[in-house]
Amino acid sequence: MCRSIKTLREPFTPQVTDTDIEAAALQYVRKISGFRAPAAHNAAAFDAAVAAVAEATRTLLDQLVVRGAGAADRPAAAQGRG
């Protein structure tokens, strides 16, 4: 995997923004597709893939439980609230 990919999971990043998630999704789709920017006839598929990867990333980060993290740092679902 590319060394320039930013780690978004705690404890490495305490606050993950939508911008971080969408940038990571875009980077992933670019890497997988082989295109930095899609041709006009592929733009819808490219954009849909970025949105799907971003949503999957949000779901993953929301569900991860980091051992040793304080209860206040864990997602609500991991604390039994959610």
Side-chain angles (χ1 to χ4, degrees):
M1 195 50 118
C2 183
R3 289 188 191 127
S4 65
I5 292 176
K6 180 180 174 185
T7 301
L8 298 180
R9 183 180 64 81
E10 288 184 39
F12 305 104
T13 302
Q15 180 74 23
V16 179
T17 67
D18 281 342
T19 301
D20 294 328
I21 291 171
E22 290 170 18
L26 178 59
Q27 185 176 30
Y28 175 80
V29 171
R30 285 176 173 169
K31 182 81 136 172
I32 294 302
S33 70
F35 297 109
R36 177 157 173 31
H41 63 276
N42 288 326
F46 194 89
D47 293 344
V50 171
V53 170
E55 185 58 32
T57 301
R58 283 184 191 91
T59 299
L60 172 66
L61 293 175
D62 287 346
Q63 293 177 1
L64 286 176
V65 176
V66 179
R67 291 183 181 212
D73 297 331
R74 293 187 194 138
Q79 297 176 38
R81 295 178 280 147

Coordinates of all heavy atoms in Angstrom, one line a residue:
M1 N 0.8 -1.2 0.0 CA 0.0 0.0 0.0 C 0.9 1.2 0.0 O 2.0 1.2 0.5 CB -0.9 0.0 1.2 CG -2.1 0.9 1.2 SD -3.0 0.8 -0.3 CE -4.6 0.3 0.3
C2 N 0.4 2.3 -0.5 CA 1.1 3.5 -0.6 C 1.5 4.1 0.7 O 0.7 4.1 1.7 CB 0.2 4.5 -1.4 SG 1.0 6.1 -1.7
R3 N 2.7 4.5 0.9 CA 3.2 5.0 2.2 C 2.6 6.4 2.5 O 2.7 6.8 3.6 CB 4.7 5.1 2.1 CG 5.4 3.8 2.1 CD 6.9 4.0 2.3 NE 7.5 2.7 2.0 CZ 8.5 2.5 1.2 NH1 9.0 3.4 0.5 NH2 9.0 1.3 1.0
S4 N 2.1 7.1 1.5 CA 1.6 8.4 1.8 C 0.2 8.4 2.3 O -0.4 9.5 2.6 CB 1.7 9.3 0.5 OG 0.8 8.8 -0.5
I5 N -0.4 7.2 2.4 CA -1.8 7.2 2.9 C -1.8 7.5 4.4 O -1.1 6.9 5.2 CB -2.5 5.8 2.7 CG1 -2.6 5.6 1.2 CG2 -3.8 5.7 3.4 CD1 -3.2 4.3 0.8
K6 N -2.6 8.5 4.8 CA -2.7 8.9 6.2 C -3.6 8.0 7.0 O -4.7 7.6 6.6 CB -3.4 10.3 6.2 CG -3.6 10.9 7.5 CD -4.2 12.3 7.3 CE -4.6 12.9 8.7 NZ -5.3 14.2 8.5
T7 N -3.1 7.6 8.2 CA -3.9 6.7 9.1 C -5.0 7.5 9.7 O -4.7 8.6 10.3 CB -2.9 6.1 10.2 OG1 -1.9 5.4 9.5 CG2 -3.7 5.2 11.1
L8 N -6.2 7.0 9.7 CA -7.3 7.7 10.2 C -7.9 7.2 11.5 O -8.7 7.8 12.2 CB -8.5 7.7 9.2 CG -8.2 8.4 7.8 CD1 -9.5 8.3 7.0 CD2 -7.8 9.8 8.0
R9 N -7.4 6.0 11.9 CA -7.9 5.3 13.0 C -7.2 5.7 14.3 O -6.0 6.0 14.3 CB -7.8 3.8 12.9 CG -8.3 3.0 14.0 CD -8.1 1.5 13.7 NE -6.7 1.1 13.7 CZ -6.0 0.9 14.8 NH1 -6.5 1.0 16.0 NH2 -4.7 0.5 14.6
E10 N -8.0 5.9 15.4 CA -7.3 6.1 16.7 C -6.4 5.0 17.0 O -6.7 3.9 16.6 CB -8.4 6.2 17.8 CG -9.2 7.5 17.7 CD -10.2 7.5 18.8 OE1 -9.8 7.2 20.0 OE2 -11.3 8.0 18.6
P11 N -5.4 5.1 17.8 CA -4.9 6.3 18.5 C -4.1 7.2 17.7 O -3.5 8.2 18.2 CB -4.1 5.7 19.7 CG -3.5 4.5 19.1 CD -4.6 3.9 18.1
F12 N -4.0 7.0 16.4 CA -3.1 7.8 15.5 C -3.7 9.1 15.2 O -3.0 10.1 15.1 CB -2.8 7.0 14.3 CG -2.2 5.7 14.5 CD1 -2.9 4.5 14.4 CD2 -0.9 5.6 15.0 CE1 -2.4 3.3 14.7 CE2 -0.4 4.3 15.3 CZ -1.1 3.2 15.1
T13 N -5.0 9.2 15.1 CA -5.7 10.5 14.8 C -6.9 10.6 15.7 O -7.8 9.8 15.6 CB -6.2 10.5 13.3 OG1 -5.1 10.3 12.4 CG2 -6.9 11.8 13.0
P14 N -6.8 11.6 16.6 CA -7.9 11.7 17.6 C -9.2 12.2 17.0 O -10.3 11.8 17.5 CB -7.4 12.7 18.6 CG -6.4 13.5 17.9 CD -5.8 12.5 16.8
Q15 N -9.2 13.0 16.0 CA -10.4 13.5 15.4 C -10.4 13.3 13.9 O -9.5 13.8 13.2 CB -10.5 15.0 15.7 CG -11.8 15.7 15.1 CD -13.0 15.3 15.9 OE1 -13.0 15.0 17.0 NE2 -14.2 15.4 15.2
V16 N -11.3 12.5 13.4 CA -11.4 12.2 11.9 C -12.5 13.0 11.4 O -13.7 12.9 11.8 CB -11.6 10.7 11.6 CG1 -11.7 10.5 10.1 CG2 -10.4 9.9 12.2
T17 N -12.2 13.9 10.4 CA -13.3 14.8 9.8 C -13.8 14.1 8.5 O -13.2 13.2 8.0 CB -12.7 16.1 9.4 OG1 -11.7 16.0 8.4 CG2 -12.1 16.8 10.7
D18 N -15.0 14.6 8.1 CA -15.5 14.2 6.8 C -14.5 14.4 5.7 O -14.4 13.6 4.7 CB -16.9 14.8 6.5 CG -18.0 14.2 7.3 OD1 -17.9 13.1 7.8 OD2 -19.1 14.9 7.4
T19 N -13.8 15.5 5.8 CA -12.8 15.9 4.7 C -11.7 14.8 4.7 O -11.3 14.4 3.6 CB -12.2 17.3 5.0 OG1 -13.3 18.2 5.0 CG2 -11.2 17.6 4.0
D20 N -11.3 14.4 5.9 CA -10.3 13.3 5.9 C -10.8 12.0 5.3 O -10.1 11.4 4.5 CB -9.9 13.0 7.4 CG -9.2 14.1 8.1 OD1 -8.5 14.9 7.5 OD2 -9.3 14.2 9.4
I21 N -12.0 11.6 5.6 CA -12.6 10.4 5.1 C -12.8 10.5 3.6 O -12.4 9.5 2.9 CB -13.9 10.1 5.8 CG1 -13.7 9.7 7.3 CG2 -14.7 9.0 5.1 CD1 -14.9 9.6 8.1
E22 N -13.3 11.6 3.1 CA -13.5 11.7 1.7 C -12.2 11.8 0.9 O -12.1 11.2 -0.2 CB -14.4 13.0 1.4 CG -15.8 12.7 1.9 CD -16.7 13.9 1.9 OE1 -16.4 14.9 1.2 OE2 -17.8 13.8 2.5
A23 N -11.2 12.4 1.5 CA -9.9 12.4 0.8 C -9.3 11.0 0.7 O -8.7 10.6 -0.3 CB -8.9 13.4 1.6
A24 N -9.4 10.3 1.8 CA -8.9 8.9 1.8 C -9.7 8.0 0.8 O -9.1 7.2 0.1 CB -9.1 8.3 3.2
A25 N -11.0 8.2 0.7 CA -11.8 7.5 -0.3 C -11.4 7.8 -1.7 O -11.3 6.9 -2.5 CB -13.3 7.8 0.0
L26 N -11.2 9.1 -1.9 CA -10.8 9.5 -3.3 C -9.4 8.9 -3.6 O -9.2 8.4 -4.7 CB -10.7 11.1 -3.3 CG -10.2 11.6 -4.7 CD1 -11.1 11.2 -5.8 CD2 -10.1 13.2 -4.5
Q27 N -8.5 8.9 -2.6 CA -7.2 8.4 -2.9 C -7.3 6.9 -3.2 O -6.6 6.4 -4.1 CB -6.3 8.6 -1.6 CG -4.9 8.1 -1.8 CD -4.0 8.5 -0.6 OE1 -4.5 8.5 0.5 NE2 -2.7 8.7 -0.8
Y28 N -8.1 6.2 -2.5 CA -8.3 4.7 -2.7 C -8.9 4.5 -4.1 O -8.4 3.6 -4.8 CB -9.3 4.2 -1.6 CG -9.6 2.7 -1.9 CD1 -8.7 1.7 -1.5 CD2 -10.8 2.3 -2.5 CE1 -9.0 0.4 -1.7 CE2 -11.1 1.0 -2.7 CZ -10.2 0.0 -2.3 OH -10.5 -1.3 -2.6
V29 N -9.9 5.2 -4.5 CA -10.5 5.0 -5.8 C -9.6 5.3 -6.9 O -9.5 4.6 -7.9 CB -11.9 5.8 -5.9 CG1 -12.4 5.8 -7.3 CG2 -12.9 5.2 -4.9
R30 N -8.8 6.4 -6.7 CA -7.7 6.7 -7.7 C -6.7 5.6 -7.8 O -6.3 5.2 -8.9 CB -7.0 8.0 -7.3 CG -7.8 9.2 -7.5 CD -7.0 10.4 -7.0 NE -7.7 11.7 -7.4 CZ -7.4 12.9 -6.9 NH1 -6.4 13.0 -6.0 NH2 -8.0 13.9 -7.3
K31 N -6.3 5.0 -6.7 CA -5.3 3.9 -6.7 C -5.9 2.7 -7.4 O -5.2 2.1 -8.2 CB -5.0 3.6 -5.3 CG -3.9 2.6 -5.1 CD -2.6 3.2 -5.3 CE -1.6 2.7 -4.2 NZ -0.3 3.2 -4.6
I32 N -7.1 2.3 -7.1 CA -7.7 1.1 -7.6 C -8.0 1.3 -9.1 O -7.8 0.4 -9.9 CB -9.0 0.8 -6.8 CG1 -8.7 0.4 -5.4 CG2 -9.8 -0.4 -7.5 CD1 -7.7 -0.8 -5.3
S33 N -8.6 2.4 -9.5 CA -9.0 2.6 -10.9 C -7.8 2.9 -11.8 O -7.9 2.7 -13.0 CB -10.0 3.8 -11.0 OG -9.4 5.0 -10.7
G34 N -6.8 3.4 -11.2 CA -5.6 3.8 -12.1 C -5.8 5.2 -12.7 O -4.9 5.6 -13.5
F35 N -6.8 5.9 -12.4 CA -7.1 7.2 -12.9 C -7.1 8.3 -11.8 O -7.7 8.1 -10.8 CB -8.5 7.3 -13.6 CG -8.6 6.4 -14.8 CD1 -9.4 5.3 -14.7 CD2 -7.9 6.6 -15.9 CE1 -9.6 4.4 -15.7 CE2 -8.1 5.7 -17.0 CZ -8.9 4.6 -16.9
R36 N -6.3 9.4 -12.1 CA -6.3 10.5 -11.2 C -7.7 11.2 -11.2 O -8.2 11.6 -10.2 CB -5.2 11.5 -11.5 CG -5.2 12.7 -10.6 CD -3.9 13.4 -10.5 NE -3.8 14.6 -9.8 CZ -4.5 15.1 -8.8 NH1 -5.5 14.4 -8.3 NH2 -4.3 16.2 -8.2
A37 N -8.2 11.4 -12.5 CA -9.5 12.0 -12.7 C -10.1 11.1 -13.8 O -9.5 10.8 -14.8 CB -9.4 13.4 -13.1
P38 N -11.4 10.8 -13.7 CA -12.1 10.0 -14.7 C -12.4 10.8 -15.9 O -12.6 12.0 -15.9 CB -13.3 9.5 -14.0 CG -13.6 10.6 -13.1 CD -12.3 11.1 -12.6
A39 N -12.6 10.1 -17.1 CA -13.1 10.7 -18.3 C -14.6 11.0 -18.0 O -15.2 10.4 -17.1 CB -13.0 9.8 -19.4
A40 N -15.1 11.9 -18.7 CA -16.5 12.4 -18.5 C -17.5 11.2 -18.5 O -18.4 11.1 -17.7 CB -17.0 13.4 -19.6
H41 N -17.3 10.2 -19.3 CA -18.2 9.0 -19.4 C -18.0 8.1 -18.2 O -18.9 7.2 -18.0 CB -18.0 8.2 -20.7 CG -16.7 7.6 -20.9 ND1 -15.6 8.3 -21.4 CD2 -16.2 6.4 -20.6 CE1 -14.5 7.6 -21.4 NE2 -14.9 6.4 -21.0
N42 N -17.0 8.3 -17.4 CA -16.8 7.5 -16.2 C -17.0 8.3 -14.9 O -16.8 7.7 -13.8 CB -15.4 6.9 -16.2 CG -15.2 5.7 -17.2 OD1 -16.2 5.0 -17.4 ND2 -14.0 5.6 -17.7
A43 N -17.3 9.5 -15.0 CA -17.4 10.4 -13.8 C -18.4 9.9 -12.8 O -18.2 9.9 -11.6 CB -17.7 11.8 -14.2
A44 N -19.6 9.5 -13.3 CA -20.6 9.1 -12.3 C -20.2 7.8 -11.6 O -20.4 7.7 -10.3 CB -21.9 8.8 -13.1
A45 N -19.6 6.9 -12.3 CA -19.1 5.7 -11.6 C -18.0 6.0 -10.6 O -18.0 5.4 -9.5 CB -18.7 4.6 -12.6
F46 N -17.1 6.8 -11.0 CA -16.0 7.3 -10.1 C -16.6 7.9 -8.9 O -16.2 7.6 -7.7 CB -15.1 8.2 -10.9 CG -13.8 8.5 -10.3 CD1 -12.7 7.7 -10.6 CD2 -13.5 9.6 -9.5 CE1 -11.4 7.9 -10.1 CE2 -12.3 9.8 -9.0 CZ -11.2 9.0 -9.3
D47 N -17.5 8.9 -9.0 CA -18.0 9.6 -7.9 C -18.8 8.7 -7.0 O -18.8 8.8 -5.8 CB -18.9 10.8 -8.4 CG -18.1 11.9 -9.1 OD1 -16.9 11.9 -8.9 OD2 -18.8 12.7 -9.8
A48 N -19.6 7.8 -7.6 CA -20.3 6.8 -6.8 C -19.4 5.9 -5.9 O -19.7 5.6 -4.8 CB -21.2 6.0 -7.7
A49 N -18.3 5.5 -6.5 CA -17.3 4.7 -5.8 C -16.7 5.5 -4.7 O -16.6 4.9 -3.6 CB -16.3 4.2 -6.8
V50 N -16.4 6.7 -4.9 CA -15.8 7.5 -3.8 C -16.8 7.6 -2.7 O -16.5 7.5 -1.5 CB -15.4 8.9 -4.3 CG1 -15.0 9.8 -3.1 CG2 -14.2 8.8 -5.3
A51 N -18.1 7.9 -3.0 CA -19.1 8.0 -1.9 C -19.3 6.7 -1.2 O -19.5 6.7 0.0 CB -20.5 8.4 -2.6
A52 N -19.3 5.6 -1.9 CA -19.5 4.3 -1.3 C -18.3 3.9 -0.3 O -18.5 3.4 0.8 CB -19.6 3.2 -2.3
V53 N -17.1 4.2 -0.8 CA -15.9 4.0 0.0 C -15.9 4.9 1.3 O -15.6 4.4 2.4 CB -14.6 4.1 -0.8 CG1 -13.4 4.1 0.1 CG2 -14.5 3.0 -1.8
A54 N -16.3 6.1 1.1 CA -16.4 7.1 2.2 C -17.4 6.6 3.3 O -17.1 6.6 4.5 CB -16.7 8.5 1.8
E55 N -18.5 6.1 2.8 CA -19.6 5.6 3.7 C -19.1 4.3 4.4 O -19.3 4.2 5.6 CB -20.9 5.3 3.0 CG -22.0 4.9 3.9 CD -22.3 6.0 5.0 OE1 -22.2 7.2 4.7 OE2 -22.7 5.5 6.1
A56 N -18.4 3.4 3.7 CA -17.9 2.2 4.3 C -16.8 2.6 5.4 O -16.7 2.0 6.4 CB -17.3 1.3 3.3
T57 N -16.0 3.6 5.1 CA -15.0 4.1 6.0 C -15.6 4.6 7.3 O -15.2 4.4 8.4 CB -14.1 5.1 5.3 OG1 -13.5 4.5 4.2 CG2 -13.0 5.6 6.3
R58 N -16.7 5.5 7.1 CA -17.4 6.0 8.3 C -17.9 4.9 9.2 O -17.8 4.9 10.4 CB -18.5 6.9 7.9 CG -18.1 8.3 7.4 CD -19.3 9.2 7.1 NE -18.8 10.3 6.4 CZ -18.7 10.5 5.1 NH1 -19.1 9.5 4.3 NH2 -18.3 11.6 4.5
T59 N -18.5 3.9 8.5 CA -19.1 2.7 9.3 C -18.0 2.0 10.0 O -18.1 1.7 11.2 CB -19.8 1.8 8.3 OG1 -20.9 2.5 7.7 CG2 -20.3 0.5 9.0
L60 N -16.9 1.8 9.3 CA -15.7 1.1 10.0 C -15.2 1.9 11.2 O -15.1 1.3 12.3 CB -14.6 0.9 9.0 CG -13.3 0.4 9.5 CD1 -13.5 -1.1 10.1 CD2 -12.2 0.4 8.5
L61 N -15.0 3.1 11.0 CA -14.4 3.9 12.1 C -15.4 4.1 13.2 O -15.0 4.1 14.4 CB -14.0 5.3 11.6 CG -12.8 5.3 10.6 CD1 -12.6 6.8 10.1 CD2 -11.6 4.8 11.2
D62 N -16.7 4.1 12.9 CA -17.7 4.2 14.0 C -17.8 2.9 14.8 O -18.2 2.9 16.0 CB -19.1 4.5 13.4 CG -19.3 5.9 12.9 OD1 -18.4 6.8 13.3 OD2 -20.2 6.2 12.2
Q63 N -17.5 1.8 14.2 CA -17.6 0.5 14.9 C -16.3 0.0 15.5 O -16.4 -0.9 16.3 CB -18.1 -0.6 13.9 CG -19.5 -0.3 13.4 CD -20.0 -1.2 12.4 OE1 -19.4 -2.2 12.0 NE2 -21.3 -1.0 12.0
L64 N -15.2 0.6 15.2 CA -13.9 0.1 15.8 C -13.9 0.5 17.3 O -14.3 1.5 17.7 CB -12.7 0.8 15.1 CG -12.4 0.3 13.7 CD1 -11.2 1.1 13.1 CD2 -12.0 -1.2 13.7
V65 N -13.3 -0.5 18.0 CA -13.1 -0.2 19.5 C -11.6 -0.3 19.7 O -11.0 -1.3 19.3 CB -13.8 -1.3 20.3 CG1 -13.5 -1.0 21.8 CG2 -15.3 -1.2 20.1
V66 N -11.0 0.7 20.2 CA -9.6 0.7 20.4 C -9.3 0.3 21.9 O -9.8 1.0 22.8 CB -9.0 2.1 20.1 CG1 -7.5 2.2 20.4 CG2 -9.3 2.6 18.7
R67 N -8.7 -0.8 22.0 CA -8.4 -1.2 23.4 C -7.5 -0.2 24.1 O -6.6 0.3 23.6 CB -7.7 -2.6 23.4 CG -8.6 -3.7 22.9 CD -8.0 -5.0 22.9 NE -8.9 -6.0 22.5 CZ -9.0 -7.2 22.9 NH1 -8.1 -7.6 23.8 NH2 -9.9 -8.1 22.4
G68 N -7.8 0.0 25.4 CA -7.1 0.9 26.2 C -7.5 2.4 26.1 O -7.1 3.2 26.8
A69 N -8.4 2.6 25.1 CA -8.9 4.0 25.0 C -9.9 4.2 26.1 O -10.6 3.4 26.6 CB -9.6 4.2 23.7
G70 N -10.0 5.5 26.6 CA -10.9 5.8 27.7 C -12.3 5.7 27.1 O -12.6 5.9 25.9
A71 N -13.3 5.5 28.0 CA -14.7 5.3 27.6 C -15.2 6.5 26.8 O -16.0 6.4 25.9 CB -15.5 5.0 28.8
A72 N -14.7 7.7 27.2 CA -15.2 8.9 26.5 C -14.7 9.0 25.1 O -15.2 9.7 24.3 CB -14.7 10.1 27.3
D73 N -13.6 8.2 24.8 CA -13.0 8.2 23.4 C -13.6 7.2 22.5 O -13.4 7.2 21.3 CB -11.5 8.0 23.5 CG -10.8 9.1 24.3 OD1 -11.2 10.2 24.2 OD2 -9.7 8.8 24.9
R74 N -14.4 6.3 23.1 CA -15.0 5.2 22.3 C -16.3 5.6 21.6 O -17.0 6.5 22.2 CB -15.2 4.0 23.2 CG -14.0 3.4 23.7 CD -14.3 2.1 24.4 NE -13.1 1.7 25.1 CZ -13.1 1.2 26.3 NH1 -14.2 1.0 27.0 NH2 -12.0 0.9 26.9
P75 N -16.6 5.0 20.5 CA -17.9 5.3 19.9 C -19.1 4.9 20.8 O -18.9 4.0 21.6 CB -17.9 4.4 18.6 CG -16.5 4.0 18.4 CD -15.8 4.1 19.7
A76 N -20.2 5.6 20.7 CA -21.3 5.4 21.5 C -21.8 3.9 21.5 O -22.1 3.3 22.5 CB -22.5 6.3 21.2
A77 N -21.8 3.3 20.3 CA -22.2 1.9 20.1 C -21.3 1.0 20.9 O -21.7 0.0 21.5 CB -22.2 1.5 18.7
A78 N -20.0 1.3 21.0 CA -19.1 0.4 21.8 C -19.3 0.6 23.3 O -18.9 -0.3 24.0 CB -17.6 0.8 21.4
Q79 N -19.9 1.7 23.7 CA -20.2 1.9 25.1 C -21.6 1.4 25.5 O -22.0 1.5 26.6 CB -20.1 3.4 25.4 CG -18.8 4.0 25.2 CD -18.8 5.5 25.5 OE1 -19.5 5.9 26.4 NE2 -18.1 6.2 24.6
G80 N -22.3 0.7 24.5 CA -23.6 0.2 24.8 C -24.7 1.3 24.6 O -25.8 1.1 24.9
R81 N -24.3 2.4 24.0 CA -25.3 3.5 23.7 C -25.2 3.7 22.2 O -24.2 4.1 21.6 CB -24.9 4.8 24.3 CG -25.0 4.8 25.8 CD -24.5 6.1 26.4 NE -23.1 6.2 26.3 CZ -22.4 7.2 26.1 NH1 -22.9 8.4 25.9 NH2 -21.0 7.2 26.2
G82 N -26.3 3.4 21.5 CA -26.2 3.7 20.1 C -27.1 3.0 19.3 O -27.8 2.4 18.9

